[in-house]
Protein backbone atom coordinates (compact mmCIF):
# COMPACT_ATOMS: atom_id res chain seq x y z
CA UNK A 1 0.00 0.00 0.00
CA UNK A 2 1.48 3.34 -0.99
CA UNK A 3 1.97 5.84 1.84
CA UNK A 4 -0.01 9.09 1.86
CA UNK A 5 2.18 12.07 1.01
CA UNK A 6 1.97 14.29 4.06
CA UNK A 7 1.41 18.02 3.76
CA UNK A 8 4.28 20.16 5.03
CA UNK A 9 2.52 22.47 7.49
CA UNK A 10 5.10 25.26 7.39
CA UNK A 11 4.83 25.65 3.62
CA UNK A 12 1.15 24.77 3.14
CA UNK A 13 -1.42 27.47 2.43
CA UNK A 14 -4.58 27.75 4.53
CA UNK A 15 -6.58 26.46 1.54
CA UNK A 16 -4.42 23.33 1.28
CA UNK A 17 -4.90 22.64 4.99
CA UNK A 18 -8.66 23.24 4.66
CA UNK A 19 -8.82 20.72 1.83
CA UNK A 20 -7.48 17.93 4.07
CA UNK A 21 -9.40 19.03 7.15
CA UNK A 22 -12.71 18.98 5.29
CA UNK A 23 -12.21 16.08 2.88
CA UNK A 24 -10.05 13.66 4.88
CA UNK A 25 -10.73 14.47 8.51
CA UNK A 26 -14.37 15.31 7.98
CA UNK A 27 -14.10 18.47 10.10
CA UNK A 28 -15.32 22.02 9.72
CA UNK A 29 -13.14 24.56 7.91
CA UNK A 30 -12.33 26.47 11.11
CA UNK A 31 -10.15 23.56 12.30
CA UNK A 32 -7.75 24.43 9.46
CA UNK A 33 -7.54 28.00 10.79
CA UNK A 34 -6.77 26.61 14.26
CA UNK A 35 -3.96 24.45 12.85
CA UNK A 36 -2.60 27.41 10.85
CA UNK A 37 -2.71 29.57 13.98
CA UNK A 38 -0.84 26.98 16.08
CA UNK A 39 1.94 26.84 13.50
CA UNK A 40 2.39 30.44 12.37
CA UNK A 41 1.26 32.36 15.44
CA UNK A 42 1.57 30.25 18.54
CA UNK A 43 4.72 28.69 17.05
CA UNK A 44 3.69 25.29 18.35
CA UNK A 45 5.19 22.35 16.51
CA UNK A 46 4.00 19.37 18.53
CA UNK A 47 0.58 18.02 17.53
CA UNK A 48 -0.02 16.92 21.15
CA UNK A 49 -0.03 20.58 22.17
CA UNK A 50 -2.76 21.59 19.68
CA UNK A 51 -5.01 21.54 22.69
CA UNK A 52 -8.12 23.27 21.39
CA UNK A 53 -8.52 20.65 18.67
CA UNK A 54 -10.52 17.59 19.78
CA UNK A 55 -8.30 14.73 20.87
CA UNK A 56 -9.61 12.18 18.35
CA UNK A 57 -8.84 14.63 15.50
CA UNK A 58 -5.49 15.64 17.00
CA UNK A 59 -4.40 11.99 17.01
CA UNK A 60 -5.12 11.72 13.29
CA UNK A 61 -3.14 14.86 12.30
CA UNK A 62 0.25 13.09 11.92
CA UNK A 63 -1.30 10.80 9.28
CA UNK A 64 -1.84 13.77 6.94
CA UNK A 65 0.48 16.53 8.08
CA UNK A 66 4.15 16.88 8.89
CA UNK A 67 6.08 19.65 10.61
CA UNK A 68 9.69 19.75 9.45
CA UNK A 69 11.79 20.39 12.49
CA UNK A 70 15.20 21.82 13.01
CA UNK A 71 17.07 21.16 16.22
CA UNK A 72 19.08 23.86 17.92
CA UNK A 73 22.27 22.24 19.18
CA UNK A 74 24.16 25.29 20.40
CA UNK A 75 23.43 28.87 21.45
CA UNK A 76 26.26 31.32 22.10
CA UNK A 77 25.97 34.89 23.32
CA UNK A 78 28.65 37.56 22.90
CA UNK A 79 30.05 39.26 26.02
CA UNK A 80 28.40 42.56 25.09
CA UNK A 81 25.05 40.66 24.77
CA UNK A 82 24.44 42.24 21.35
CA UNK A 83 25.00 39.13 19.26
CA UNK A 84 23.57 35.65 19.73
CA UNK A 85 24.45 32.76 17.53
CA UNK A 86 22.38 29.61 17.00
CA UNK A 87 23.69 26.41 15.46
CA UNK A 88 20.92 24.24 14.00
CA UNK A 89 20.99 20.64 12.88
CA UNK A 90 18.78 19.64 9.94
CA UNK A 91 17.75 15.99 9.71
CA UNK A 92 20.63 15.16 12.10
CA UNK A 93 22.88 15.64 9.11
CA UNK A 94 23.47 19.25 8.11
CA UNK A 95 24.54 22.20 10.26
CA UNK A 96 23.49 25.79 9.62
CA UNK A 97 24.01 29.00 11.54
CA UNK A 98 21.67 31.84 12.38
CA UNK A 99 22.75 35.08 14.05
CA UNK A 100 20.58 37.42 16.09
CA UNK A 101 21.83 41.00 16.16
CA UNK A 102 20.43 43.21 18.88
CA UNK A 103 21.16 46.89 18.61
CA UNK A 104 19.34 50.23 18.42
CA UNK A 105 16.24 48.59 19.95
CA UNK A 106 16.00 46.51 16.82
CA UNK A 107 16.33 42.74 16.57
CA UNK A 108 17.56 41.54 13.22
CA UNK A 109 17.90 37.89 12.37
CA UNK A 110 20.53 36.85 9.87
CA UNK A 111 19.35 33.55 8.35
CA UNK A 112 21.13 30.95 6.23
CA UNK A 113 19.75 29.92 2.86
CA UNK A 114 22.13 27.12 1.89
CA UNK A 115 24.30 24.50 3.60
CA UNK A 116 27.80 25.47 2.51
CA UNK A 117 28.32 27.68 -0.53
CA UNK A 118 29.61 27.07 -4.03
CA UNK A 119 30.87 30.61 -4.59
CA UNK A 120 34.10 30.27 -2.60
CA UNK A 121 34.73 33.91 -1.69
CA UNK A 122 38.27 33.85 -0.41
CA UNK A 123 37.73 35.79 2.83
CA UNK A 124 34.69 33.77 3.96
CA UNK A 125 34.54 30.77 6.30
CA UNK A 126 31.46 29.35 4.54
CA UNK A 127 33.32 29.65 1.22
CA UNK A 128 35.78 27.00 2.43
CA UNK A 129 32.97 24.43 2.78
CA UNK A 130 31.59 22.45 -0.09
CA UNK A 131 28.05 23.22 -1.15
CA UNK A 132 25.74 20.59 0.32
CA UNK A 133 22.18 21.67 -0.28
CA UNK A 134 19.65 24.45 -0.68
CA UNK A 135 17.50 24.96 2.39
CA UNK A 136 13.79 24.45 1.86
CA UNK A 137 11.51 27.41 2.54
CA UNK A 138 10.40 25.62 5.73
CA UNK A 139 14.00 25.25 6.92
CA UNK A 140 14.56 28.98 6.42
CA UNK A 141 11.30 29.87 8.18
CA UNK A 142 12.05 27.53 11.11
CA UNK A 143 15.23 29.49 11.90
CA UNK A 144 13.04 32.54 12.58
CA UNK A 145 10.32 30.55 14.38
CA UNK A 146 12.83 29.02 16.80
CA UNK A 147 14.42 32.36 17.68
CA UNK A 148 11.05 34.14 17.84
CA UNK A 149 9.80 31.54 20.31
CA UNK A 150 12.90 32.07 22.45
CA UNK A 151 12.43 35.84 22.44
CA UNK A 152 8.76 35.55 23.41
CA UNK A 153 9.87 34.43 26.84
CA UNK A 154 11.06 38.01 27.43
CA UNK A 155 8.30 39.73 25.42
CA UNK A 156 10.66 40.56 22.59
CA UNK A 157 10.58 39.75 18.89
CA UNK A 158 12.57 39.77 15.70
CA UNK A 159 11.55 42.72 13.54
CA UNK A 160 13.91 42.41 10.57
CA UNK A 161 15.39 39.58 8.56
CA UNK A 162 18.51 39.57 6.46
CA UNK A 163 19.47 36.71 4.16
CA UNK A 164 23.14 37.11 4.90
CA UNK A 165 23.99 33.87 6.68
CA UNK A 166 25.49 30.80 5.04
CA UNK A 167 25.03 30.56 1.29
CA UNK A 168 24.16 32.76 -1.69
CA UNK A 169 20.38 33.37 -1.38
CA UNK A 170 19.97 34.07 -5.09
CA UNK A 171 21.16 30.53 -5.87
CA UNK A 172 18.13 29.36 -3.87
CA UNK A 173 15.84 32.07 -5.23
CA UNK A 174 12.46 30.30 -5.17
CA UNK A 175 12.74 28.99 -1.61
CA UNK A 176 14.00 32.35 -0.33
CA UNK A 177 11.03 34.19 -1.86
CA UNK A 178 8.65 31.50 -0.62
CA UNK A 179 10.02 31.90 2.94
CA UNK A 180 9.48 35.68 2.75
CA UNK A 181 5.89 35.14 1.67
CA UNK A 182 5.26 32.72 4.55
CA UNK A 183 6.69 35.16 7.12
CA UNK A 184 4.61 37.92 5.58
CA UNK A 185 1.27 36.05 6.15
CA UNK A 186 -1.16 38.50 7.65
CA UNK A 187 -2.54 35.81 9.96
CA UNK A 188 0.95 34.62 10.84
CA UNK A 189 4.09 36.60 11.70
CA UNK A 190 2.96 39.44 9.42
CA UNK A 191 6.50 40.77 8.96
CA UNK A 192 6.37 43.57 6.40
CA UNK A 193 8.22 42.86 3.16
CA UNK A 194 10.05 46.14 3.71
CA UNK A 195 11.74 44.50 6.71
CA UNK A 196 13.46 41.84 4.59
CA UNK A 197 16.87 42.29 3.00
CA UNK A 198 18.47 39.82 0.62
CA UNK A 199 22.22 40.04 0.55
CA UNK A 200 23.96 38.84 -2.59
CA UNK A 201 27.49 38.55 -3.83
CA UNK A 202 26.25 40.15 -7.06
CA UNK A 203 24.21 37.79 -9.27
CA UNK A 204 23.05 40.34 -11.83
CA UNK A 205 20.17 38.38 -13.48
CA UNK A 206 18.56 37.58 -10.10
CA UNK A 207 18.91 41.23 -8.99
CA UNK A 208 16.85 42.18 -12.04
CA UNK A 209 14.37 39.36 -11.34
CA UNK A 210 13.90 40.51 -7.72
CA UNK A 211 13.12 44.01 -8.96
CA UNK A 212 10.33 42.53 -11.11
CA UNK A 213 8.99 40.08 -8.50
CA UNK A 214 9.28 41.75 -5.10
CA UNK A 215 9.61 45.52 -5.18
CA UNK A 216 9.43 46.00 -1.42
CA UNK A 217 12.20 43.59 -0.47
CA UNK A 218 15.50 45.35 0.11
CA UNK A 219 18.78 44.45 -1.45
CA UNK A 220 22.32 44.42 -0.05
CA UNK A 221 25.43 43.82 -2.13
CA UNK A 222 28.56 42.22 -0.72
CA UNK A 223 30.94 44.44 -2.65
CA UNK A 224 34.27 44.44 -0.78
CA UNK A 225 36.20 45.95 -3.69
CA UNK A 226 35.31 48.42 -6.45
CA UNK A 227 37.78 47.37 -9.14
CA UNK A 228 37.53 44.08 -11.05
CA UNK A 229 41.21 43.46 -10.46
CA UNK A 230 40.84 43.39 -6.66
CA UNK A 231 37.34 41.92 -6.53
CA UNK A 232 38.35 39.00 -8.78
CA UNK A 233 40.91 37.97 -6.15
CA UNK A 234 38.46 37.58 -3.30
CA UNK A 235 35.15 36.96 -5.10
CA UNK A 236 35.31 34.53 -8.06
CA UNK A 237 31.69 35.41 -8.96
CA UNK A 238 33.05 38.78 -10.16
CA UNK A 239 34.57 37.03 -13.19
CA UNK A 240 31.06 35.95 -14.21
CA UNK A 241 29.37 39.25 -13.38
CA UNK A 242 32.02 41.97 -13.44
CA UNK A 243 31.37 45.34 -11.83
CA UNK A 244 29.96 46.94 -15.00
CA UNK A 245 27.35 44.17 -15.31
CA UNK A 246 26.57 44.44 -11.59
CA UNK A 247 26.17 48.19 -11.93
CA UNK A 248 23.80 47.78 -14.89
CA UNK A 249 21.57 45.41 -12.89
CA UNK A 250 21.55 47.74 -9.87
CA UNK A 251 20.55 50.72 -11.98
CA UNK A 252 17.62 48.67 -13.32
CA UNK A 253 16.78 47.55 -9.76
CA UNK A 254 16.66 51.14 -8.52
CA UNK A 255 14.66 52.36 -11.50
CA UNK A 256 12.01 49.72 -10.83
CA UNK A 257 11.89 49.70 -7.02
CA UNK A 258 13.11 53.16 -5.97
CA UNK A 259 14.73 51.37 -3.00
CA UNK A 260 18.04 52.46 -1.59
CA UNK A 261 20.69 49.74 -2.03
CA UNK A 262 22.99 48.75 0.84
CA UNK A 263 26.57 47.82 0.14
CA UNK A 264 28.69 45.76 2.51
CA UNK A 265 32.39 46.46 2.36
CA UNK A 266 34.72 44.39 4.53
CA UNK A 267 37.84 46.36 5.45
CA UNK A 268 40.89 44.15 5.02
CA UNK A 269 44.30 45.39 6.12
CA UNK A 270 46.74 46.18 3.27
CA UNK A 271 44.23 44.92 0.72
CA UNK A 272 41.22 47.15 0.00
CA UNK A 273 41.55 50.21 2.19
CA UNK A 274 44.09 52.56 0.63
CA UNK A 275 43.28 55.93 -0.98
CA UNK A 276 42.90 54.45 -4.44
CA UNK A 277 40.45 51.76 -3.15
CA UNK A 278 38.39 54.54 -1.53
CA UNK A 279 38.36 56.58 -4.79
CA UNK A 280 37.24 53.54 -6.80
CA UNK A 281 34.45 52.92 -4.30
CA UNK A 282 33.27 56.52 -4.45
CA UNK A 283 33.27 56.39 -8.26
CA UNK A 284 31.31 53.10 -8.30
CA UNK A 285 28.68 54.37 -5.87
CA UNK A 286 28.08 57.64 -7.74
CA UNK A 287 25.39 55.98 -9.89
CA UNK A 288 23.19 54.94 -6.95
CA UNK A 289 21.15 55.99 -4.00
CA UNK A 290 23.32 53.92 -1.71
CA UNK A 291 24.34 53.28 1.85
CA UNK A 292 27.65 51.61 2.66
CA UNK A 293 28.40 49.55 5.74
CA UNK A 294 32.11 49.31 6.43
CA UNK A 295 32.88 46.20 8.46
CA UNK A 296 36.38 45.56 9.81
CA UNK A 297 37.38 42.03 8.78
CA UNK A 298 36.60 39.29 11.31
CA UNK A 299 39.62 36.94 11.30
CA UNK A 300 38.96 33.50 9.78
CA UNK A 301 41.38 30.77 10.79
CA UNK A 302 43.59 29.67 7.90
CA UNK A 303 42.96 32.81 5.81
CA UNK A 304 45.75 35.32 5.08
CA UNK A 305 43.58 38.40 5.69
CA UNK A 306 43.89 40.69 8.69
CA UNK A 307 41.77 43.24 10.51
CA UNK A 308 42.91 46.85 9.97
CA UNK A 309 43.66 49.17 12.89
CA UNK A 310 40.90 51.47 14.11
CA UNK A 311 42.87 54.41 12.67
CA UNK A 312 43.06 52.84 9.18
CA UNK A 313 39.34 52.00 9.25
CA UNK A 314 38.46 55.54 10.35
CA UNK A 315 40.62 57.09 7.59
CA UNK A 316 38.78 55.05 4.96
CA UNK A 317 35.45 56.04 6.49
CA UNK A 318 36.41 59.74 6.53
CA UNK A 319 37.40 59.66 2.85
CA UNK A 320 33.95 58.33 1.97
CA UNK A 321 32.24 60.86 4.22
CA UNK A 322 34.14 63.74 2.59
CA UNK A 323 32.83 62.50 -0.77
CA UNK A 324 29.25 62.73 0.55
CA UNK A 325 28.69 58.96 0.63
CA UNK A 326 26.11 57.65 3.15
CA UNK A 327 28.38 55.47 5.21
CA UNK A 328 28.48 53.70 8.57
CA UNK A 329 31.56 52.22 10.17
CA UNK A 330 30.43 49.11 12.02
CA UNK A 331 32.21 47.58 14.94
CA UNK A 332 33.27 43.98 14.56
CA UNK A 333 30.44 42.16 16.32
CA UNK A 334 30.58 38.95 18.29
CA UNK A 335 34.23 38.11 17.66
CA UNK A 336 34.20 36.12 20.90
CA UNK A 337 31.48 33.79 19.56
CA UNK A 338 32.83 33.37 16.03
CA UNK A 339 30.04 35.45 14.51
CA UNK A 340 31.27 35.66 10.91
CA UNK A 341 29.19 33.28 8.85
CA UNK A 342 30.34 29.67 8.83
CA UNK A 343 32.83 29.87 11.66
CA UNK A 344 30.74 28.16 14.31
CA UNK A 345 29.83 25.28 11.99
CA UNK A 346 33.51 24.73 11.20
CA UNK A 347 34.37 24.84 14.92
CA UNK A 348 31.64 22.32 15.79
CA UNK A 349 32.68 19.94 12.99
CA UNK A 350 36.30 20.10 14.15
CA UNK A 351 35.23 19.36 17.73
CA UNK A 352 33.23 16.35 16.48
CA UNK A 353 36.20 15.05 14.49
CA UNK A 354 38.44 15.46 17.57
CA UNK A 355 35.97 13.68 19.88
CA UNK A 356 35.56 10.86 17.32
CA UNK A 357 39.34 10.45 17.28
CA UNK A 358 39.33 10.25 21.07
CA UNK A 359 36.61 7.62 20.96
CA UNK A 360 38.47 5.38 18.52
S1 LIG B 1 30.48 35.49 1.25
FE1 LIG B 1 28.45 34.66 0.83
S2 LIG B 1 28.55 34.10 -1.36
FE2 LIG B 1 30.67 34.37 -0.68
S3 LIG B 1 31.31 32.28 -0.08
FE3 LIG B 1 30.56 33.32 1.78
S4 LIG B 1 28.43 32.66 1.90
FE4 LIG B 1 29.09 32.27 -0.22
Amino acid sequence: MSEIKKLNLIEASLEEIENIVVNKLDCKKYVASQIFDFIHNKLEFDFDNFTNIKKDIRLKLPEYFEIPSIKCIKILESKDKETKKFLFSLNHKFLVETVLLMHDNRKTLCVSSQVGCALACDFCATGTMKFEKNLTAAEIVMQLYFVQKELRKTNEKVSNLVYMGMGEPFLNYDNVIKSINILNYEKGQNISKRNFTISTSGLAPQIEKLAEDEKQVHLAISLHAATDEVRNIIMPINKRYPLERLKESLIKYQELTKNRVSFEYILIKDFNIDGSAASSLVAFLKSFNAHVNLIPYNIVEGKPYETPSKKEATEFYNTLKRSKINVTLRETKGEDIAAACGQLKIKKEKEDIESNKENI
Side-chain angles (χ1 to χ4, degrees):
M1 201 175 76
S2 68
E3 248 185 67
I4 304 168
K5 188 166 177 338
K6 296 181 188 183
L7 189 66
N8 174 332
L9 272 181
I10 304 289
E11 297 186 8
S13 65
L14 181 59
E15 292 69 32
E16 287 172 311
I17 302 172
E18 274 171 6
N19 184 25
I20 292 184
V21 162
V22 174
N23 298 316
K24 304 279 184 196
L25 296 170
D26 205 14
C27 292
K28 296 265 188 265
K29 259 187 180 184
Y30 74 85
V31 174
S33 299
Q34 289 176 318
I35 293 173
F36 190 91
D37 185 60
F38 268 114
I39 296 290
H40 296 290
N41 249 320
K42 297 195 171 78
L43 307 180
E44 186 50 69
F45 309 114
D46 182 346
F47 292 122
D48 291 340
N49 295 335
F50 287 20
T51 42
N52 58 359
I53 295 175
K54 277 198 225 135
K55 193 166 178 201
D56 57 328
I57 302 295
R58 215 190 307 154
L59 290 173
K60 283 190 199 157
L61 295 179
E63 284 174 38
Y64 298 97
F65 300 112
E66 63 180 5
I67 307 173
S69 78
I70 61 173
K71 195 164 174 249
C72 183
I73 55 170
K74 206 165 201 155
I75 302 179
L76 296 175
E77 190 170 31
S78 62
K79 284 189 200 120
D80 63 12
K81 306 235 176 273
E82 288 198 357
T83 310
K84 226 178 198 185
K85 191 154 194 172
F86 302 83
L87 186 64
F88 291 109
S89 157
L90 313 175
N91 301 327
H92 310 286
K93 200 170 168 196
F94 303 105
L95 296 178
V96 290
E97 299 179 10
T98 307
V99 181
L100 176 64
L101 301 160
M102 296 167 279
H103 49 82
D104 308 334
N105 289 328
R106 182 193 273 192
K107 292 190 174 42
T108 302
L109 195 68
C110 175
V111 294
S112 291
S113 54
Q114 297 185 307
V115 183
C117 183
L119 295 189
C121 299
D122 198 40
F123 56 86
C124 170
T126 306
T128 61
M129 301 166 198
K130 66 175 193 328
F131 168 74
E132 290 181 274
K133 79 175 209 99
N134 280 332
L135 296 197
T136 62
E139 287 165 340
I140 298 172
V141 167
M142 287 303 280
Q143 294 171 61
L144 179 280
Y145 282 180
F146 180 91
V147 176
Q148 202 73 301
K149 210 170 167 182
E150 281 292 302
L151 287 175
R152 268 194 187 165
K153 295 173 190 162
T154 48
N155 284 328
E156 298 170 288
K157 64 175 186 184
V158 172
S159 54
N160 293 64
L161 255 94
V162 290
Y163 290 72
M164 205 182 270
M166 295 167 61
E168 164 54 61
F170 277 158
L171 290 180
N172 188 13
Y173 186 94
D174 291 345
N175 289 335
V176 163
I177 300 299
K178 191 170 184 180
S179 69
I180 292 173
N181 283 316
I182 294 171
L183 294 171
N184 177 243
Y185 284 153
E186 205 186 334
K187 289 185 180 153
Q189 292 294 300
N190 197 14
I191 300 175
S192 159
K193 290 201 177 174
R194 295 225 158 266
N195 292 8
F196 290 89
T197 302
I198 298 180
S199 173
T200 176
S201 56
L203 275 71
Q206 284 87 339
I207 290 172
E208 290 160 2
K209 182 165 167 48
L210 184 75
E212 299 281 352
D213 295 348
E214 295 289 347
K215 296 197 172 26
Q216 294 185 315
V217 173
H218 286 275
L219 184 66
I221 307 295
S222 296
L223 193 65
H224 315 318
T227 64
D228 285 328
E229 199 191 347
V230 179
R231 201 164 188 262
N232 283 345
I233 298 171
I234 47 170
M235 301 186 73
I237 191 70
N238 194 68
K239 292 179 188 147
R240 190 139 156 230
Y241 303 111
L243 287 164
E244 264 317 296
R245 175 70 184 98
L246 176 61
K247 188 188 264 184
E248 184 190 298
S249 67
L250 291 173
I251 289 171
K252 279 190 200 158
Y253 172 86
Q254 283 208 314
E255 273 171 12
L256 279 170
T257 66
K258 315 284 181 247
N259 292 340
R260 186 166 82 166
V261 177
S262 296
F263 290 87
E264 309 293 316
Y265 193 101
I266 291 177
L267 300 169
I268 304 175
K269 188 178 174 63
D270 298 331
F271 183 74
N272 63 354
I273 57 168
D274 63 7
S276 118
S279 309
S280 305
L281 182 56
V282 171
F284 183 80
L285 296 174
K286 255 192 346 226
S287 319
F288 315 108
N289 170 12
H291 178 266
V292 188
N293 282 312
L294 302 177
I295 309 147
Y297 184 63
N298 209 328
I299 298 284
V300 174
E301 209 184 304
K303 293 287 178 189
Y305 306 109
E306 290 178 35
T307 313
S309 67
K310 212 162 188 170
K311 184 167 172 273
E312 290 167 317
T314 308
E315 263 169 36
F316 192 85
Y317 165 84
N318 286 337
T319 311
L320 263 59
K321 264 269 172 238
R322 278 195 299 275
S323 305
K324 309 261 180 291
I325 301 289
N326 279 314
V327 58
T328 306
L329 177 57
R330 302 259 176 229
E331 282 174 42
T332 314
K333 289 277 171 209
E335 264 177 329
D336 53 319
I337 58 161
C341 100
Q343 295 205 63
L344 187 60
K345 172 175 155 90
I346 290 175
K347 198 162 167 257
K348 172 78 174 87
E349 283 171 349
K350 268 193 194 156
E351 281 168 10
D352 288 352
I353 290 168
E354 289 308 316
S355 76
N356 282 342
K357 270 189 207 156
E358 279 164 22
N359 292 334
I360 288 170

